[in-house]
Structures are given as C-alpha cells and as structure tokens.
Amino acid sequence: TYKYTNPLLPDDVNEIYIQKVTLNGEPLWGEMGINISIVNYCPYILSPSNYGGAYVTYVRGYNEPKLYGWNFDAQGNNLWQSEFVFELQLPNMLYLANVVSDGDGNIIVNLWIRPDSQSNLYSHLVKISPQGNIIGNNPMISQSQFSGCYKILSDQNSNYILWKSHLPNITFQKMDASGNLLFSEPISYQHNDNVSEIRAFDSSPDGGLYYFLNREYPLLPMVNKLNANLQLSWTAPVELPFYWNS
C-alpha cells in the first residue's frame, strides 16, 4: 500500500513523500517515507511493482515531451541511475495518461501524444523495464493499428484492456503483453443520449471488465459487464440504488 503527502510550502516548491506501509498501517520506509522534491509541481503516477516496490512516473510540462521517473525496490532504494527515461522530438506534446504494471516487473506507460498544436491526441504505449530501458517496439502499437486516446487496464489473464469514451459511446480493444491486438477491430457500445459519463473501472476474474455509466435522468448510476471477448455479459446494465439527502 502506498500513500503520498503534499505539505503546504511556498508556491515555487512542492515536496512529495511516498511511503510503503504494512496492512496494519506501519511505515516501512522510515518515519517520513521517501522525499521527492519537484519544483513547479506536475502530476505524477505511482504504480506498485510486483517486487514489493513502486514506480513513479511524470512529465514536467506538456511542451517538454520527456518522461521522467524512479523505480524504488522493496526497501525504498531507487534502481534507476537517471531520473530521465526517454523523450520525443519537438513539436510533439506529451501527456501522461496512466500506467499499469505487468507480471514480470515491468510497466506499460500510456502517453497521449499531440504531434503539434493543430493535431489530435493519440495513445502511445511503451513498456519500460525495472532498469529503465524500453522493451520491444516504441510504441508498442503503431498508429496504423490503433488510433485515439485510450486508457489501459490490466486484466487477470496477463492481457490488457484498452478503452475510450466518446459520449454516448464506449470503445474497447484488447492486447497481450507484447503489444499484439487480440481483436481485428475495436468493439463499441452505444448508450442513451442522457448518459453523462462512461468509464471502465475494474477487471473481472474471467478476463472481462466492469464499466460504469452515469445518467442525467433518472439519477441512477449503472454498471455493465463484459466477458473476456469484450461481449456483453448481462442483458441490461444493473442500476445502483441512489438516494438524495434532503
């Protein structure tokens, strides 16, 4: 389990602490944890590794197309000799969308790339080893196979579910750990126009996943389930009880 704190400091300095704790809440990385000081605070992603440690990845700014990070082992030692991981050439702009761990200690980083200010964003997936090296193709999936801004979610069968939402539709694809797409075409589902939010949120033991829908009216959130082939498992979404406090 990992946590971070962000103390109140002067505007030009941010200090971020990461800490590993036991299930009983006992800190394992010293009293304060590990301090990561980043000037001009930027979003970062913390990803547990299967070796008992954690990766920290971040970008310093959209106009600086560089990925940075650390890899801390189970004892809190940084395994990467350099904070810098890799870069793209300008005028590319880079956004860090999300990161998932694989079963071999690596991470798959999902970057959203904008080639220039006039272009659309698209996902750029890259696998990084515990030593900070890129594994396989960069990107894992070429633009000719894969377009748009996806989020990535690991399933429980060593594959990865990719999804993107464009109301009222949600689109899915699946790939294996080597970046091979498992379906010839993405799979999409269309919902009613009164759906205000759609997002995948968890994988299921059978290799499928659950996704969440929120509606403008009636105010009842819903959950839908897909099987391992990304086909609907339920005849209709399940409505969740929702009560207003008056």
Side-chain angles (χ1 to χ4, degrees), residues 6-15 38-41:
N6 187 6
L8 294 176
L9 292 170
D11 291 340
D12 60 342
V13 176
N14 288 271
E15 290 193 5
I38 303 175
V39 177
N40 297 324
Y41 172 73

Side-chain angles (χ1 to χ4, degrees), residues 25 39 42 51 81 119 144 167 183 195 200:
V39 177
C42 52
Y51 294 137
Q81 299 301 313
S119 301
S144 62
L167 294 174
F183 300 102
V195 171

Side-chain angles (χ1 to χ4, degrees), residues 110-113 121-125 141 146 148-151:
N110 180 18
L111 301 165
W112 289 355
I113 304 296
L121 286 162
Y122 64 88
S123 282
H124 180 110
L125 303 177
I141 305 173
F146 186 71
C149 290
Y150 282 80
K151 287 291 189 74

Side-chain angles (χ1 to χ4, degrees), residues 35-103:
N35 176 274
I36 303 172
S37 296
I38 303 175
V39 177
N40 297 324
Y41 172 73
C42 52
Y44 70 94
I45 293 179
L46 182 67
S47 309
S49 74
N50 61 334
Y51 294 137
Y55 290 87
V56 179
T57 48
Y58 69 96
V59 295
R60 290 179 175 169
Y62 305 140
N63 296 321
E64 182 184 355
K66 297 180 181 181
L67 179 70
Y68 297 90
W70 301 270
N71 178 19
F72 297 100
D73 64 16
Q75 290 72 44
N77 303 306
N78 179 27
L79 301 180
W80 288 354
Q81 299 301 313
S82 172
E83 183 181 341
F84 167 73
V85 182
F86 81 96
E87 68 180 317
L88 300 173
Q89 298 300 311
L90 291 170
N92 283 291
M93 290 177 280
L94 183 154
Y95 304 75
L96 181 58
N98 69 312
V99 180
V100 294
S101 302
D102 72 1

Side-chain angles (χ1 to χ4, degrees), residues 69-246:
W70 301 270
N71 178 19
F72 297 100
D73 64 16
Q75 290 72 44
N77 303 306
N78 179 27
L79 301 180
W80 288 354
Q81 299 301 313
S82 172
E83 183 181 341
F84 167 73
V85 182
F86 81 96
E87 68 180 317
L88 300 173
Q89 298 300 311
L90 291 170
N92 283 291
M93 290 177 280
L94 183 154
Y95 304 75
L96 181 58
N98 69 312
V99 180
V100 294
S101 302
D102 72 1
D104 297 320
N106 313 300
I107 53 173
I108 297 176
V109 178
N110 180 18
L111 301 165
W112 289 355
I113 304 296
R114 189 189 300 275
D116 56 64
S117 60
Q118 306 302 316
S119 301
N120 294 323
L121 286 162
Y122 64 88
S123 282
H124 180 110
L125 303 177
V126 58
K127 181 181 284 192
I128 299 175
S129 73
Q131 293 75 38
N133 302 314
I134 294 175
I135 300 174
N137 295 327
N138 179 15
M140 295 178 68
I141 305 173
S142 68
Q143 286 188 64
S144 62
Q145 299 174 285
F146 186 71
S147 63
C149 290
Y150 282 80
K151 287 291 189 74
I152 182 171
L153 183 74
S154 58
D155 73 7
Q156 299 185 28
N157 295 323
S158 299
N159 295 316
Y160 300 89
I161 297 171
L162 306 154
W163 66 275
K164 63 180 178 180
S165 174
H166 187 267
L167 294 174
N169 302 327
I170 187 166
T171 300
F172 299 94
Q173 180 56 278
K174 186 179 280 194
M175 73 173 189
D176 63 19
S178 298
N180 300 306
L181 295 178
L182 302 184
F183 300 102
S184 59
E185 297 290 338
I187 298 171
S188 296
Y189 295 99
Q190 182 170 357
H191 297 280
N192 294 331
D193 289 338
N194 67 345
V195 171
S196 60
E197 179 187 11
I198 312 176
R199 56 183 171 84
F201 69 91
D202 201 6
S203 61
S204 61
D206 62 2
L209 88 161
Y210 300 94
Y211 70 92
F212 171 87
L213 303 96
N214 211 357
R215 293 178 292 186
E216 294 179 357
Y217 182 85
L219 290 174
L220 288 174
M222 300 181 294
V223 172
N224 217 343
K225 184 180 183 298
L226 304 181
N227 61 24
N229 293 321
L230 302 182
Q231 301 301 309
L232 293 171
S233 294
W234 298 339
T235 56
V238 173
E239 294 187 346
L240 304 177
F242 184 87
Y243 303 98
W244 283 102
N245 291 323
S246 57

